[in-house]
């Protein structure tokens, strides 16, 4: 039972909604129906996907996580070595059945995006790729983790590609890059001590925080031309910018203090998700 609980913690339950919601919302708005594909897709991106994404990360980051005071709670599990093999096998066993169904039920476009999604999950943490140690590519890959479920949902639902849709996905992608980069700032010291490279360890705290805020601004600007009601989502970036702004002049020595903003960031995701749902309802009714 302790092993099951540890694996559950490793999957970051507090963040499950961040990947299930994009798929579900994209598919529902495209097809306007709840069917088996919707249910299977939401369930997949809710639990197995997150177990793979975060479990693989916790296995291969174990050595550096030992020196990171953030690990051991909602911000990341400390998986004992005896559970590493079990974590990888459990991630594979829970992912494969869902993936087989989604590949079979989809089309060429959804299969391609699903492959990109799975590749990004593995490549981010597992050697020899370890994209999380490749500055800038780490933020791009992390953002892919959250945007790709939406792209799978759109593709498998048969969405028609439009300029507005591209702008919305671009905004989502920029938001994801900003979130990852800002989150990396708090780990500058432990990452450097562990020899782990990241966008934050290379650019430094000051540049990374400012880059994150600029990316959030760009995300908001990207959706403005999309018209009603999608353009309303531009306001969703404001709380993130306000939350990060006090660290505009953060230094590497004070980088760890951004954890206070990061903890608020987790709560902001729920508030933003609620507001995004309201926008989606308006789009549905329209």
């Amino acid at each position: 039972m302790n092993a099951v609980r540890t694996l559950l913690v490793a999957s970051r339950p507090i963040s499950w909604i961040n990947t299930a919601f994009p798929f579900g919302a994209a598919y529902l708005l495209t097809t306007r129906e709840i069917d088996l594909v919707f249910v299977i897709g939401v369930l997949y991106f809710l639990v197995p996907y997150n177990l793979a994404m975060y479990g693989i990360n916790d296995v291969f980051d174990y050595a550096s996580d030992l020196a990171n005071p953030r690990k051991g709670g909602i911000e990341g599990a400390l998986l004992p070595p005896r559970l590493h093999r079990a974590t990888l096998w459990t991630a594979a066993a829970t992912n494969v059945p869902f993936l087989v169904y989604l590949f079979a039920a989809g089309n060429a476009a959804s299969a391609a995006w699903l492959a990109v999604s799975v590749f990004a999950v593995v490549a981010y943490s597992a050697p020899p790729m370890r994209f999380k140690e490749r500055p800038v590519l780490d933020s791009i890959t992390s953002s892919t983790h959250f945007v790709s479920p939406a792209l799978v949902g759109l593709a498998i639902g048969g969405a028609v590609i439009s300029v507005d849709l591209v702008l919305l996905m671009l905004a989502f992608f920029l938001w994801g890059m900003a979130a990852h980069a800002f989150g990396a700032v708090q780990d500058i010291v432990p990452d450097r001590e562990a020899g782990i490279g990241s966008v934050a360890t290379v650019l430094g705290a000051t540049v990374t925080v400012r880059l994150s805020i600029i990316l959030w601004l760009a995300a908001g600007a990207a959706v403005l031309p999309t018209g009603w009601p999608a353009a309303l989502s531009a306001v969703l970036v404001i709380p993130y910018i306000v939350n990060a702004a006090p660290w505009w002049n953060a230094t590497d020595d004070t980088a760890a203090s951004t954890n206070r903003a990061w903890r608020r960031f987790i709560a902001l995701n729920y508030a933003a998700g609620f507001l995004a749902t309201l926008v989606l309802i308006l789009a549905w009714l329209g």
Side-chain angles (χ1 to χ4, degrees):
M1 185 59 69
N2 286 336
V4 173
R5 182 181 181 280
T6 301
L7 288 177
L8 184 65
V9 172
S11 70
R12 314 291 203 278
I14 198 170
S15 297
W16 287 354
I17 193 66
N18 294 338
T19 48
F21 183 85
F23 172 86
Y27 185 83
L28 192 59
L29 278 179
T30 300
T31 65
R32 293 184 174 263
E33 63 181 40
I34 295 177
D35 55 14
L36 187 58
V37 174
F38 172 86
V39 173
I40 296 297
V42 168
L43 287 176
Y44 171 64
F45 286 111
L46 189 71
V47 186
Y49 182 81
N50 282 287
L51 177 59
M53 178 163 60
Y54 294 116
I56 293 172
N57 179 77
D58 288 343
V59 167
F60 292 105
D61 279 9
Y62 178 71
S64 60
D65 284 349
L66 283 173
N68 193 327
R70 292 200 304 117
K71 303 302 180 178
I74 64 171
E75 296 182 71
L78 274 175
L79 284 176
R82 64 182 176 81
L83 290 180
H84 287 183
R85 184 181 296 271
T87 299
L88 297 178
W89 276 109
T90 302
T94 54
N95 272 254
V96 168
F98 286 91
L99 290 172
V100 168
Y101 176 83
L102 291 172
F103 274 115
N107 49 53
S110 66
W113 284 119
L114 193 56
V116 168
S117 189
V118 174
F119 174 77
V121 163
V122 177
Y124 183 75
S125 300
M129 294 167 286
R130 290 284 287 178
F131 287 175
K132 70 169 296 174
E133 294 192 43
R134 302 175 188 270
V136 181
L137 183 58
D138 56 348
S139 292
I140 292 173
T141 309
S142 177
S143 186
T144 301
H145 292 161
F146 303 98
V147 178
S148 60
L151 294 172
V152 172
L154 290 169
I156 203 169
V160 176
I161 299 175
S162 66
V163 173
D164 286 355
L165 184 58
V166 171
L167 288 174
L168 284 169
M169 291 301 100
L170 173 61
F172 191 8
F173 194 80
L174 293 172
W175 174 91
M177 287 188 65
H180 175 272
F182 186 77
V185 173
Q186 62 195 317
D187 291 329
I188 285 178
V189 172
D191 279 353
R192 281 182 177 158
E193 290 177 349
I196 295 176
S198 73
V199 64
T201 60
V202 170
L203 298 181
T206 306
V207 173
T208 306
V209 170
R210 294 177 181 181
L211 175 63
S212 298
I213 292 174
I214 291 171
L215 286 171
W216 274 315
L217 283 169
V223 300
L224 289 177
T226 59
W228 177 269
L232 284 175
S233 58
V235 303
L236 297 180
V237 304
I238 295 175
Y240 295 98
I241 294 171
V242 171
N243 185 46
W247 283 271
W248 180 263
N249 292 315
T251 66
D252 292 358
D253 292 334
T254 63
S257 67
T258 60
N259 178 252
R260 299 201 300 272
W262 184 251
R263 286 180 174 272
R264 288 194 293 269
F265 174 87
I266 296 173
L268 284 175
N269 284 343
Y270 282 88
F274 171 74
L275 294 175
T277 301
L278 297 181
V279 174
L280 290 173
I281 291 173
L282 288 173
W284 179 282
L285 296 175

